[in-house]
Amino acid sequence: LSKYVQKARNEEVDSTGKLIMGVDIAISERDRTAIIRRKGRCVYNLERVSNLNTMEICGLLKRRIQEENPYKVYIDCIGIGAGVVDRMNEMGYECVEGVNVGRSANDKERYKNLRAELWGDMRDFLYGEMPVQIPDEDLLHGELCSIGFKETSTGQIQLESKEDLRKRGISSPDGADAFSLTFYGGFNGGTMGSFDVPRLMPHERSMFR
């Protein structure tokens, strides 16, 4: 188990900064929709819901936005998430933004696609010197530590696919994916800044040691 993830589970930091929500949408019985909150260095209130259709998910997100007034709500818009984003925007929720995690990364030299880059930003967040707090939850811990990666022939980091995870008997890391989405707009909706973190090595299977 990663000492960095465990350390973040045990920390308590002030919830300062803009409220960012990350949402990973799922409507199948085996996966769950995950909604997580982050304010600066504090990640909290990971919510998982099952067996909701897209319109029910829209209703849930509408209530959460009205109750919590987030600065941004980032939703994975590949597949069924696109319809949720479109409906939320149609209802006037401009804070909702779709994120195509399959597109090219901003740092194309280092990452194969945006999903790998967002997981890299999440890793840097947890590996940084400043204390950070995440939900004290075994399931999230397992999700963060389960996904593997490889370096392509061009040196880019590529995450293990969800299909390959299932072949290993591991469920989709819905909560961790939602967590990674909170970094789409940078650390506080601006830029991430830089962290001095250990370099990922090809022989290391997991993103988090």
Side-chain angles (χ1 to χ4, degrees):
L1 296 180
S2 166
K3 64 181 182 181
Y4 296 97
V5 177
Q6 186 61 55
K7 183 174 183 293
R9 289 178 64 176
N10 297 334
E11 291 283 2
E12 289 188 15
V13 302
D14 291 335
S15 300
T16 58
K18 300 171 181 176
L19 171 57
I20 310 294
M21 288 184 177
V23 184
D24 187 65
I25 304 290
I27 59 173
S28 68
E29 290 187 1
R30 65 185 178 185
D31 299 328
R32 288 177 286 183
T33 293
I35 306 170
I36 200 167
R37 288 84 170 159
R38 183 173 66 80
K39 287 185 178 180
R41 293 181 292 110
C42 181
V43 182
Y44 63 100
N45 196 8
L46 171 54
E47 185 177 3
R48 302 174 191 266
V49 293
S50 303
N51 300 318
L52 297 185
N53 62 38
T54 53
M55 291 302 99
E56 290 171 327
I57 292 169
C58 286
L60 175 63
L61 290 175
K62 176 182 176 181
R63 293 193 297 275
R64 296 297 179 262
I65 292 170
Q66 290 175 338
E67 292 164 356
E68 302 178 49
N69 190 30
Y71 172 69
K72 284 288 184 180
V73 179
Y74 294 121
I75 300 177
D76 182 354
C77 66
I78 292 180
I80 58 172
V84 173
V85 172
D86 288 345
R87 178 56 180 150
M88 296 302 295
N89 290 160
E90 183 182 51
M91 289 191 292
Y93 293 102
E94 297 180 358
C95 62
V96 173
E97 188 171 341
V99 181
N100 180 355
V101 297
R103 73 161 174 80
S104 297
N106 297 307
D107 186 350
K108 297 178 180 63
E109 212 172 287
R110 189 177 182 193
Y111 297 103
K112 178 70 174 176
N113 55 25
L114 181 61
R115 182 170 184 245
E117 185 171 36
L118 292 175
W119 270 73
D121 287 344
M122 179 169 63
R123 176 182 180 272
D124 289 354
F125 173 77
L126 288 166
Y127 273 48
E129 292 184 4
M130 294 291 287
V132 296
Q133 176 183 339
I134 65 172
D136 186 14
E137 181 191 282
D138 289 342
L139 181 54
L140 176 62
H141 193 142
E143 290 174 347
L144 288 168
C145 297
S146 66
I147 195 165
F149 80 100
K150 65 180 180 181
E151 286 193 6
T152 67
S153 59
T154 57
Q156 295 171 307
I157 293 172
Q158 180 177 0
L159 291 188
E160 183 177 14
S161 70
K162 294 185 179 183
E163 290 73 21
D164 286 341
L165 279 173
R166 290 193 180 101
K167 288 176 184 177
R168 293 203 285 122
I170 298 173
S171 299
S172 175
D174 306 313
D177 278 334
F179 180 9
S180 73
L181 288 167
T182 68
F183 296 103
Y184 178 65
F187 184 71
N188 275 322
T191 57
M192 278 293 294
S194 60
F195 294 89
D196 183 16
V197 300
R199 175 172 166 75
L200 289 168
M201 301 302 291
H203 66 275
E204 295 171 328
R205 192 190 72 182
S206 295
M207 283 290 286
F208 295 92
R209 293 196 289 269

